[in-house]
Amino acid sequence: MASLVPPPKLYTDDVSLIVIILDTNPFFWGTLSNTSALTFSFSKFLNHMIPFVNSLLLLNQLNHVVLIASGVASCGYIYDSATAVASDGGQKVPAVCSEILSRLEEFVAKDQRLGKGDLRTVAGSMSSLFSGALSLALCYIQRVFRSGMQHPQPRILCLQGSPDGPEQYVAVMNAIFSAQRSMVPIDSCVLGMQHSAFLQQASYITGGVYLKPQQLDGLFEYFTAVFATDLQSRTFLELPRPVGVDFRASCFCHKKTIDMGYVCSVCLSIFCKHHKKCSTCGSDFSHGHSELDRKRKHSEV
Amino acid sequence: MATITMAAKYKTSVKEPGIPGVLKMMEDRFVFTPNDPRSSTKLNVDFRQIKGHKFSKDGSKQALLNLTQDPEKGGGYIFEFNSFPDRNACRDFVGKVLGRIQSAEKPPASQHAEQLSTKELERRMKLLTEDSELQNLHRQLVANGVLMDSEFWAARQNLLDNDNYGAPKQRAGFKSAMLADVKPLADGRTNKVTFSLTAETIHQIFAEKPAVHRAFLDYVPTKMTEKDFWTKYCRAEYLHKTKNSVAAAAEAAEDEELAIFLKHDDILANETRRKIQRVDPTLDMEADVGDDYMHLPDHGILRDGSKETVEGDNEFSRRTLSQDLNRHGAVVLEGRALDVELGDTRTVAEALARSKQGSSTENSDENANMEKLERVCRMTEIEDLQAPRTFPVAPLCIKDPREYFDSQQANAVKTLGDNGAGMKPMDCSLSAEEAWIYLMGQISQVKVRGFNHPIVQSEAALKVLNGLNQNLSSTKYQFGKNSQESVLDRLPQRIKADLLNHWTTIQELLRHFWSSYPITTEHLSKKVIRLKDAMTDIYVKLQEIKESVQGDFRHQVSLLVQPMVQALDAAFAHHDNEQQKRAAKGGVKPNGFAQ
């Protein structure tokens, strides 16, 4: 008789922990379906995304997939393959999918409740809480790191559609740097119209893949061809590389994306205007002839 | 190196006592003035008459310098100096002067506006040959007459200074030669053996043999004179050398001071014990003591022609070669921290004692034992049994968190309120309510309908794969293998070189240009005009480069060229502006400045 104790999990180097960050911004998805040029909708997106989650789990028995939704007012865990209950509901969709879908419904409903009366939604800002979702993902990965000596190779995949929220710049950059520190690559797949400077920087800094698919109806193909590759295989595969990276920063004072600005000489905070005092570290810039010097410089150039 | 003045004695031959006086050396001649004003021996000699110079060795009886004249005239000028450093300074000076005269005689020295020493020129030449970029710049700017040689180098004074020339000479450490090499000199006739000790050796003895050092401090000069002390020391060394342990024991019994030199050095032994305690505690050095085979017959190290073996537990047993070597190595590695001029033995000994006091950290045995135990625990720690180490995290420090977050929040809200409408990148035609309903509808749609079949549409999939492949191969072609490559590396080699070259040239020109303002002299105004012409040339060249580049790279090149053009434009604008101001001032032309 076989022993009752399950054998310890043998995490080979191709076992992955994939944390997928899902953009559930209703404004983005609503507008996307309205534009006639692209016949792409959230349901179609789910049609590509959920089979991709399934195929990730099929790639290796020990693969571990976590879904995190980032809404406009909140973000939260949607699905965790480690704790999922394997029950067949006998519906049209398999058990995994029905779980994902029902959790997603719950999340969206909650996000709507929380978003009511929020200034950001009223003002029509359309960015999702990307920084929060990224932090959740990193927290989850840290927990796995600390669970034992052996753990699957973690990576984060961001499926973002809505534009960047410059007001999240500091939080996002902090999350990116902590991902870099714990050697977690951030892959990004941009579904929206514009490139995302946040994700470009995130993938560049952490060594992940940044991709903006041209054919949204072939999204599943992009997923399996590019984002399914585990970290071990990436060493000998040729993956798409970005042509350029938008390194622009947001100023700390007004959260505007700027090309040129002032940098605090003490703490490197970025400002779009000259300040007498750094709001981050409190350094006083009013001493000396800084104002005078600056004016002089200006007149010379 | 203008002049050098030293007290010296002038003599016509080595043996005579010489005439005391002052020797003054200048660039082209040297003058000797005797102290006695009545003396007729005054010298005033042109260096061109001197063909060579000889000097006595450092540490020999006299500090001599002989400036030799032509061989046929014979003789020369012999000077005796008070000390070797004085002599060496003069010797170096003469060497430089003679070197310059000889090198100048071969090719007629080019008459430069400024007088440069050969040394200076050599250094410039060396810098130019070492740095091809600098050489390029030099050729471009100086050879074409845009800048003067002196102007070019004035901005690079730091490069010239960095050269080891003129820097204080490195302090010499202990010689690697062992103390054992203070060999006794025996003259064949008598039974006398001579040891010669210099200040240098004494310092080394003190550093390597703490017991001798302590004995010196204790005995000299209260109990015996310094000479007696060293005589005893040398006697002990001699006994060591002759390996006559019986004689050594006998002599030590008679003379307790001598015994100190022959006994094992207890300070050293203490120090060794302390050092052993600091060794990795998992290594048992005591168990390995016999592993050197030194105790077995026919084993040992060959030294001074005979095998060296450890002899029993004799109190006066000899130090082995490896002990000597180890001790010497330790002292050399510690380095010498004495700032005292070697000379007076007593001061050296005291200074050494002071420096040792500072460095030694005496801790009680108990303390050491505790520490040792702790270290054993740490060394034998088994990784699997320990909790995972947490990452060291530097806490984020915000001076005033409330101010920081509040001001940011306020600003952010204000911005959103101000131009919330303008920020919308997409046409947000549907209201919030509609958007939410739409999203929920989409989810339930999937729930009800299930997935499309098939998930992969072959047509779309083919398009995607083709697109990806094309993208990959084209980026590979454009970027090469390395993703971290810079834009420059993708450009053709020639264009890259040209761009870099222009960039350095522009920087150099602009540095000179801006440093010329305000224009106060005619020289500066001429310089500015020269610089402006050179910059105009480059401006044209930049345009040419931009036009010559093929389609793919044109955009990148123009991006690279733009900052250069902007910098040049700023300079031109400033120049024109100044010109106009001067013109407006009208007739006032300072220093004959002509426009």
Side-chain angles (χ1 to χ4, degrees):
Chain A
M1 227 183 109
S3 109
L4 288 172
V5 184
K9 288 183 179 177
L10 279 174
Y11 287 116
T12 46
D13 50 13
D14 58 345
V15 180
S16 314
L17 160 64
I18 304 116
V19 183
I20 302 178
I21 294 175
L22 208 62
D23 192 354
T24 62
N25 190 325
F27 303 102
F28 165 71
W29 289 111
T31 340
L32 191 66
S33 67
N34 274 12
T35 39
S36 52
L38 285 156
T39 51
F40 198 66
S41 64
F42 192 61
S43 63
K44 282 187 183 160
F45 168 71
L46 289 176
N47 259 312
H48 292 287
M49 200 274 296
I50 296 175
F52 172 59
V53 171
N54 266 327
S55 38
L56 282 178
L57 293 172
L58 282 172
L59 264 177
N60 192 314
Q61 212 184 347
L62 293 176
N63 269 0
H64 185 168
V65 180
V66 176
L67 276 182
I68 294 172
S70 70
V72 279
S74 64
C75 35
Y77 295 105
I78 296 294
Y79 172 76
D80 185 341
S81 69
T83 57
V85 274
S87 69
D88 196 2
Q91 293 163 339
K92 274 201 168 178
V93 284
V96 174
C97 314
S98 66
E99 193 191 339
I100 293 175
L101 288 173
S102 57
R103 293 288 296 276
L104 203 57
E105 249 176 346
E106 282 169 36
F107 173 80
V108 172
K110 196 179 122 216
D111 197 35
Q112 185 182 8
R113 269 202 316 281
L114 289 170
K116 281 253 169 71
D118 189 335
L119 197 72
R120 289 171 65 251
T121 42
V122 172
S125 154
M126 309 221 302
S127 57
S128 306
L129 281 178
F130 176 56
S131 58
L134 207 52
S135 308
L136 278 182
L138 287 167
C139 287
Y140 193 96
I141 288 169
Q142 278 301 321
R143 202 178 74 193
V144 171
F145 271 147
R146 287 158 202 217
S147 64
M149 296 300 282
Q150 279 203 320
H151 49 76
Q153 299 293 316
R155 64 178 193 266
I156 298 174
L157 169 59
C158 300
L159 305 175
Q160 205 193 11
S162 51
D164 293 330
E167 72 277 2
Q168 297 176 46
Y169 174 75
V170 178
V172 169
M173 288 315 284
N174 282 340
I176 291 172
F177 288 129
S178 70
Q180 180 195 31
R181 219 179 121 89
S182 33
M183 313 253 272
V184 178
I186 300 177
D187 296 334
S188 20
C189 180
V190 175
L191 309 167
M193 305 291 172
Q194 311 129 316
H195 279 285
S196 157
F198 283 176
L199 289 179
Q200 279 182 339
Q201 295 187 35
S203 298
Y204 180 82
I205 290 168
T206 59
V209 182
Y210 174 90
L211 186 71
K212 187 175 176 307
Q214 301 305 313
Q215 307 274 332
L216 282 178
D217 50 346
L219 198 58
F220 181 78
E221 200 61 36
Y222 282 110
F223 283 160
T224 46
V226 177
F227 297 109
T229 42
D230 59 85
L231 300 188
Q232 171 67 14
S233 315
R234 284 183 194 196
T235 51
F236 40 80
L237 285 178
E238 190 82 32
L239 291 175
R241 277 180 294 184
V243 182
V245 178
D246 183 355
F247 282 116
R248 281 183 306 167
S250 297
C251 66
F252 285 28
C253 44
H254 301 86
K255 311 293 176 199
K256 281 190 289 194
T257 308
I258 50 171
D259 292 320
M260 259 194 255
Y262 295 85
V263 177
C264 170
S265 50
V266 178
C267 69
L268 304 182
S269 296
I270 303 159
F271 303 103
C272 60
K273 282 189 221 152
H274 180 76
H275 287 250
K276 283 210 176 93
K277 202 176 151 203
C278 173
S279 67
T280 310
C281 65
S283 305
D284 199 350
F285 303 135
S286 58
H287 286 304
H289 307 283
S290 60
E291 189 68 15
L292 199 77
D293 281 351
R294 210 165 50 85
K295 282 219 176 104
R296 225 188 85 208
K297 272 255 162 60
H298 188 77
S299 67
E300 269 177 9
V301 173
Chain B
M1 58 182 277
T3 57
I4 196 163
T5 313
M6 285 288 171
K9 285 182 197 160
Y10 167 69
K11 36 174 102 175
T12 40
S13 73
V14 183
K15 276 169 196 149
E16 62 178 82
I19 305 151
V22 174
L23 176 68
K24 188 174 181 188
M25 289 184 169
M26 281 158 284
E27 296 268 318
D28 54 341
R29 55 181 58 248
F30 64 91
V31 179
F32 178 79
T33 330
N35 288 345
D36 185 357
R38 285 164 297 169
S39 168
S40 58
T41 358
K42 272 187 191 166
L43 290 176
N44 188 350
V45 184
D46 197 314
F47 266 123
R48 262 168 287 194
Q49 291 179 18
I50 303 300
K51 290 293 167 247
H53 63 297
K54 295 176 188 164
F55 45 89
S56 55
K57 260 191 210 154
D58 275 25
S60 57
K61 238 195 302 182
Q62 293 169 314
L64 295 177
L65 179 66
N66 187 357
L67 301 176
T68 51
Q69 276 177 316
D70 284 353
E72 50 268 35
K73 279 187 194 167
Y77 305 96
I78 301 172
F79 296 100
E80 187 191 340
F81 293 86
N82 295 334
S83 69
F84 284 97
D86 286 359
R87 199 279 317 272
N88 291 348
C90 288
R91 178 195 63 191
D92 294 347
F93 184 90
V94 171
K96 270 181 229 159
V97 170
L98 291 184
R100 187 146 42 88
I101 288 171
Q102 270 158 21
S103 66
E105 272 171 4
K106 281 162 207 162
S110 58
Q111 282 304 310
H112 237 282
E114 47 170 345
Q115 276 294 324
L116 279 175
S117 63
T118 25
K119 203 85 180 177
E120 183 77 17
L121 279 175
E122 267 170 27
R123 267 188 295 149
R124 288 179 181 186
M125 286 308 291
K126 191 163 157 255
L127 278 173
L128 286 180
T129 43
E130 276 171 0
D131 188 346
S132 63
E133 207 171 282
L134 195 67
Q135 192 183 15
N136 220 348
L137 203 61
H138 186 265
R139 199 176 52 221
Q140 217 167 12
L141 296 179
V142 180
N144 290 344
V146 178
L147 287 176
M148 308 241 290
D149 201 37
S150 55
E151 287 168 348
F152 183 80
W153 288 108
R156 287 181 173 71
Q157 205 56 52
N158 62 332
L159 283 180
L160 296 170
D161 291 345
N162 277 352
D163 222 25
N164 48 19
Y165 174 80
K169 273 180 190 138
Q170 197 178 0
R171 197 151 28 137
F174 283 122
K175 289 203 180 79
S176 288
M178 297 285 302
L179 280 182
D181 296 343
V182 181
K183 284 247 167 70
L185 295 171
D187 58 349
R189 282 168 293 177
T190 58
N191 263 341
K192 221 161 109 189
V193 176
T194 322
F195 282 85
S196 66
L197 292 173
T198 62
E200 175 76 37
T201 353
I202 288 173
H203 181 202
Q204 202 169 347
I205 290 171
F206 283 159
E208 295 198 11
K209 296 176 181 171
V212 177
H213 179 219
R214 186 183 53 189
F216 183 87
L217 287 175
D218 288 349
Y219 297 152
V220 179
T222 50
K223 218 167 167 185
M224 58 176 92
T225 62
E226 195 181 328
K227 189 158 190 285
D228 286 343
F229 179 85
W230 290 118
T231 315
K232 268 201 183 9
Y233 171 78
C234 294
R235 171 134 195 88
E237 277 299 295
Y238 183 69
L239 287 171
H240 263 312
K241 271 221 161 26
T242 50
K243 305 182 180 67
N244 192 344
S245 57
V246 183
E251 292 218 17
E254 284 170 21
D255 188 341
E256 60 177 83
E257 278 102 39
L258 188 69
I260 288 168
F261 300 129
L262 290 172
K263 272 186 204 157
H264 274 301
D265 195 326
D266 58 324
I267 301 179
L268 265 190
N270 268 334
E271 214 169 282
T272 317
R273 199 142 35 80
R274 231 176 307 131
K275 272 183 191 159
I276 288 178
Q277 276 176 353
R278 266 181 274 147
V279 173
D280 182 348
T282 53
L283 176 73
D284 188 353
M285 285 187 77
E286 273 170 41
D288 298 340
V289 153
D291 281 3
D292 55 2
Y293 299 102
M294 294 285 279
H295 304 271
L296 303 178
D298 292 334
H299 283 80
I301 304 168
L302 205 63
R303 184 192 193 185
D304 295 339
S306 65
K307 284 268 175 64
E308 177 175 79
T309 50
V310 175
E311 313 156 11
D313 271 338
N314 190 345
E315 194 190 357
F316 305 110
S317 63
R318 297 161 10 77
R319 304 180 304 270
T320 60
L321 176 61
S322 30
Q323 276 167 347
D324 272 352
L325 277 174
N326 279 337
R327 179 63 197 158
H328 177 72
V331 169
V332 168
L333 282 181
E334 270 167 27
R336 64 204 302 187
L338 285 194
D339 289 323
V340 184
E341 192 75 19
L342 293 180
D344 183 28
T345 321
R346 179 84 201 172
T347 39
V348 170
E350 276 164 359
L352 193 66
R354 271 200 304 280
S355 76
K356 272 202 179 151
Q357 252 174 14
S359 64
S360 72
T361 44
E362 293 282 331
N363 47 354
S364 62
D365 270 3
E366 203 177 323
N367 246 348
N369 267 341
M370 281 294 288
E371 199 189 328
K372 192 175 172 183
L373 273 177
E374 241 169 61
R375 269 182 335 123
V376 170
C377 284
R378 236 182 303 140
M379 299 291 298
T380 52
E381 178 181 289
I382 296 170
E383 217 174 68
D384 305 9
L385 300 180
Q386 301 298 321
R389 291 255 160 77
T390 45
F391 295 106
V393 178
L396 174 69
C397 175
I398 293 178
K399 185 94 172 173
D400 183 355
R402 173 164 295 173
E403 189 193 335
Y404 175 69
F405 288 111
D406 286 357
S407 73
Q408 294 206 340
Q409 191 66 34
N411 277 330
V413 168
K414 205 170 76 199
T415 322
L416 286 174
D418 284 352
N419 45 359
M423 265 177 70
K424 271 185 259 179
M426 273 184 273
D427 175 30
C428 190
S429 55
L430 70 174
S431 73
E433 205 61 36
E434 281 171 339
W436 289 111
I437 292 168
Y438 166 77
L439 197 64
M440 293 300 267
Q442 290 284 311
I443 296 171
S444 52
Q445 192 187 332
V446 179
K447 242 181 171 176
V448 175
R449 279 201 214 151
F451 292 132
N452 299 339
H453 283 288
I455 291 168
V456 184
Q457 291 158 336
S458 48
E459 248 176 76
L462 185 67
K463 263 194 211 164
V464 168
L465 285 179
N466 279 338
L468 275 177
N469 271 331
Q470 218 163 25
N471 178 13
L472 281 183
S473 53
S474 72
T475 48
K476 198 171 177 181
Y477 166 74
Q478 274 185 16
F479 291 88
K481 286 265 178 201
N482 187 0
S483 59
Q484 305 286 331
E485 250 178 355
S486 82
V487 186
L488 274 174
D489 293 332
R490 267 177 272 145
L491 298 175
Q493 196 59 40
R494 196 183 52 79
I495 293 176
K496 181 187 166 187
D498 275 356
L499 281 174
L500 287 175
N501 184 21
H502 284 318
W503 194 217
T504 44
T505 318
I506 288 171
Q507 279 180 328
E508 180 74 18
L509 288 172
L510 284 174
R511 200 178 303 133
H512 284 283
F513 179 82
W514 289 110
S515 65
S516 308
Y517 282 97
I519 299 175
T520 47
T521 62
E522 195 182 355
H523 172 73
L524 276 179
S525 78
K526 275 185 185 159
K527 183 181 170 186
V528 163
I529 291 169
R530 276 204 316 268
L531 288 167
K532 192 187 157 248
D533 290 345
M535 289 195 292
T536 319
D537 287 348
I538 289 195
Y539 202 90
V540 174
K541 277 185 199 152
L542 286 178
Q543 295 298 337
E544 279 169 9
I545 285 190
K546 245 203 290 192
E547 279 157 22
S548 71
V549 179
Q550 297 301 314
D552 284 355
F553 298 122
R554 183 170 290 175
H555 177 63
Q556 282 156 1
V557 169
S558 70
L559 281 180
L560 287 170
V561 166
Q562 202 180 358
M564 309 189 206
V565 172
Q566 278 175 347
L568 288 177
D569 280 340
F572 291 144
H574 184 77
H575 181 258
D576 293 346
N577 211 355
E578 286 285 306
Q579 207 85 318
Q580 275 174 8
K581 266 192 211 160
R582 276 174 187 281
K585 271 186 189 168
V588 190
K589 287 169 186 170
N591 300 338
F593 174 81
Q595 236 167 345

